[in-house]
Amino acid sequence: MFEQLVEAARKLESASLLPDAPELLSSAVPAQFTLDDIRSLATQIQDKSDTTAVLSAIYIALKSNKLGTQLNGDDDDDDDDGTHNIVLEDISLHIGQMMVPVCSGATFDEDSTDYTSLSHNSLLGVHILKLLLSLTSGGSPVLPTKSLLSVIASTNHNDPWTSSTCADLARSLLSDYFRRIPPPQATKPVTSLPPRSIRDSRVEREPSEKKPPKTERARFITEDVLTDFLRPLFAKSRPTTVTASGRPAAFPEPASRYSQGDGFGGADEATITKPWKYTQRYAVTVFEWAVENTDGNLLQECWPLYTPILLTLLDEPQPVSLKLRALSILRKFWRLCPEGLLSRTGLADVFEQAVFPIVLSLPSLTPEDESCDLLAAAYPALFDIAGLDYPGPEMAENEVSKAGSTNNYKLSDKQHLQSTGFSEAQRKLLDKLISSAKRYATL
């Protein structure tokens, strides 16, 4: 049915023609079709090289006014909402599978992935899912988990498989989707009498505080994203400083100097142990989205789901872009955590040990431009861990001007430092930073 439309879509030079595509190819759209026909088109794809053409054809068809209101084989005038939505979910699942940005050509030495095609597929996929959501009949919209993960993978415009337009559209779709899902109903307290053994014990028990039910967004983040999707991907590359449950390891094994980086076990081994760095690089974007969309209450309860993944990213030495991104995610995570949570769990020291070596990335072992980027990201992260305000450029300029305008600056500054209530941990970190800076300044 859609052969002519797919063939015409193959001739499109670029997905940048997306807004004009329905008008350019409207003559190739069948006179009338149903959602079942769209589902058949989405499932009949044979060659991955046809993915962009099939997605284009589906988008063009859905944008036309030729979509029938009945499903194939449905003789009833009143369409069954349940069946209708099931078909929509099925189509959404196939769209999500087609738009997932798998970097099949990524290796340690080179990356031959066709990011242009991945970018086109992401943009088309997000547009199609947005159209499918608008066709939902009754009840709450439901997108399969795999489709939502594919949309989340497109939310960072810095990734090579997406664009600013696609990232904005993906974030808008996710916001609208979770907003349309009604909040969970509060659990009613149990009114039945307790067992006789408890009633006869004459022990007064304090009523247990009932936790409010998780929102769909919170449930999706903790269960579908962190537990089911991300944990298996990062399981084989977790650092020894943290356990699989996300807590500090009691007796961490020192990392071998030969285990740093990739390449010793070959490219195949690296892609198996670190799929999040190679074939499924979008996993980092998904984790970043999970951090950005959490809150203090969720972190208070589920912080062990985040820490192994974050420490794994911080422990990865190369590439520099990944290290910078890990530091950025760390700062977002730390600011959202309830005050003192990671210190009480012992993870503050673990994160400090993971970040501190980065401030030693100095020339000539590290290229100057990379060193500047790493230091500019590592120092603020360490100050966040210590609970200190990082002195930005404006503060530094003010201090310099004060030093030049008064002869008593050094004396007043010393008195100020002595009167400031630094904790012992903060003093140790500051001393460690200053000592390392002095040591490397003399080299």
Side-chain angles (χ1 to χ4, degrees):
M1 173 179 285
F2 292 101
E3 291 80 3
Q4 183 181 355
L5 179 58
V6 173
E7 184 61 31
R10 288 194 186 102
K11 298 178 181 179
L12 286 178
E13 295 182 358
S14 172
S16 61
L17 297 174
L18 188 61
D20 302 324
E23 296 182 3
L24 295 174
L25 302 180
S26 58
S27 59
V29 179
Q32 189 173 11
F33 56 90
T34 67
L35 285 176
D36 270 330
D37 297 325
I38 295 292
R39 177 166 58 178
S40 298
L41 174 60
T43 57
Q44 288 176 357
I45 183 171
Q46 300 293 332
D47 188 352
K48 289 186 177 181
S49 62
D50 265 354
T51 300
T52 304
V54 172
L55 287 173
S56 299
I58 293 174
Y59 171 73
I60 293 166
L62 290 176
K63 284 288 289 184
S64 70
N65 58 354
K66 301 176 182 180
L67 177 63
T69 58
Q70 294 182 349
L71 298 174
N72 288 349
D74 187 2
D75 298 329
D76 193 347
D77 292 337
D78 297 327
D79 186 20
D80 181 73
D81 288 343
T83 304
H84 179 86
N85 289 341
I86 288 174
V87 175
L88 288 175
E89 291 178 33
D90 199 12
I91 299 173
S92 300
L93 177 61
H94 291 291
I95 298 301
Q97 292 172 340
M98 284 190 282
M99 63 180 286
V100 60
V102 175
C103 302
S104 57
T107 65
F108 178 72
D109 296 322
E110 60 182 5
D111 186 0
S112 58
T113 303
D114 184 1
Y115 288 111
T116 301
S117 295
L118 292 182
S119 179
H120 292 171
N121 295 344
S122 296
L123 182 59
L124 286 165
V126 174
H127 271 290
I128 292 171
L129 292 177
K130 197 172 184 66
L131 290 172
L132 293 176
L133 281 179
S134 67
L135 298 175
T136 304
S137 298
S140 302
V142 177
L143 285 178
T145 299
K146 290 184 178 180
S147 300
L148 288 172
L149 291 174
S150 296
V151 175
I152 295 172
S154 303
T155 53
N156 191 317
H157 64 88
N158 292 318
D159 290 324
W161 54 81
T162 188
S163 62
S164 298
T165 301
C166 184
D168 293 340
L169 189 65
R171 289 179 177 274
S172 174
L173 186 151
L174 292 167
S175 178
D176 179 60
Y177 174 78
F178 287 110
R179 184 171 57 248
R180 291 173 61 182
I181 298 179
Q185 298 294 326
T187 305
K188 294 183 179 179
V190 179
T191 57
S192 59
L193 293 176
R196 181 178 295 277
S197 59
I198 297 179
R199 299 202 307 270
D200 294 343
S201 64
R202 295 184 180 180
V203 177
E204 294 184 0
R205 299 177 180 268
E206 293 293 333
S208 58
E209 295 182 0
K210 293 187 177 298
K211 297 179 180 178
K214 289 182 180 178
T215 63
E216 174 58 22
R217 186 194 297 265
R219 186 213 62 78
F220 174 74
I221 290 175
T222 56
E223 297 178 14
D224 296 340
V225 175
L226 295 173
T227 303
D228 296 339
F229 176 65
L230 291 176
R231 177 181 284 180
L233 293 180
F234 285 83
K236 295 182 179 180
S237 53
R238 173 177 50 83
T240 59
T241 54
V242 66
T243 65
S245 62
R247 290 166 172 78
F251 303 101
E253 298 179 2
S256 171
R257 62 178 180 175
Y258 298 108
S259 64
Q260 294 299 317
D262 303 319
F264 290 100
D268 292 338
E269 181 181 344
T271 55
I272 293 174
T273 58
K274 300 178 181 180
W276 48 268
K277 184 180 177 182
Y278 294 97
T279 55
Q280 293 176 278
R281 202 177 305 171
Y282 67 94
V284 179
T285 304
V286 173
F287 178 65
E288 184 177 33
W289 180 89
V291 171
E292 291 175 349
N293 286 271
T294 190
D295 54 37
N297 293 331
L298 188 60
L299 285 177
Q300 179 74 44
E301 180 182 356
C302 303
W303 58 266
L305 297 176
Y306 294 84
T307 49
I309 301 172
L310 187 51
L311 285 167
T312 300
L313 294 176
L314 291 170
D315 194 55
E316 188 63 29
Q318 292 292 337
V320 172
S321 59
L322 179 61
K323 181 74 74 175
L324 294 174
R325 193 164 185 180
L327 290 168
S328 174
I329 298 174
L330 170 62
R331 297 197 69 192
K332 297 174 185 176
F333 173 80
W334 205 274
R335 292 175 179 177
L336 289 170
C337 274
E339 185 176 359
L341 171 64
L342 297 179
S343 296
R344 293 192 300 270
T345 58
L347 280 168
D349 292 337
V350 177
F351 277 105
E352 179 184 326
Q353 294 168 12
V355 176
F356 187 82
I358 302 176
V359 304
L360 306 181
S361 303
L362 300 171
S364 58
L365 294 178
T366 304
E368 185 175 346
D369 55 341
E370 293 183 1
S371 177
C372 291
D373 292 338
L374 289 170
L375 294 180
Y379 275 109
L382 286 171
F383 273 66
D384 286 345
I385 293 173
L388 298 169
D389 293 329
Y390 183 71
E394 294 182 358
M395 183 181 298
E397 292 178 2
N398 292 336
E399 298 300 322
V400 171
S401 63
K402 287 165 58 178
S405 61
T406 174
N407 296 328
N408 297 326
Y409 172 74
K410 292 184 179 180
L411 177 62
S412 63
D413 185 52
K414 183 177 181 180
Q415 294 173 346
H416 172 70
L417 290 175
Q418 292 176 345
S419 63
T420 302
F422 288 115
S423 67
E424 185 64 23
Q426 291 172 336
R427 290 178 183 274
K428 287 183 178 180
L429 177 59
L430 290 173
D431 180 66
K432 190 176 179 181
L433 289 173
I434 294 173
S435 299
S436 64
K438 287 183 177 179
R439 182 169 66 253
Y440 278 86
T442 59
L443 295 180

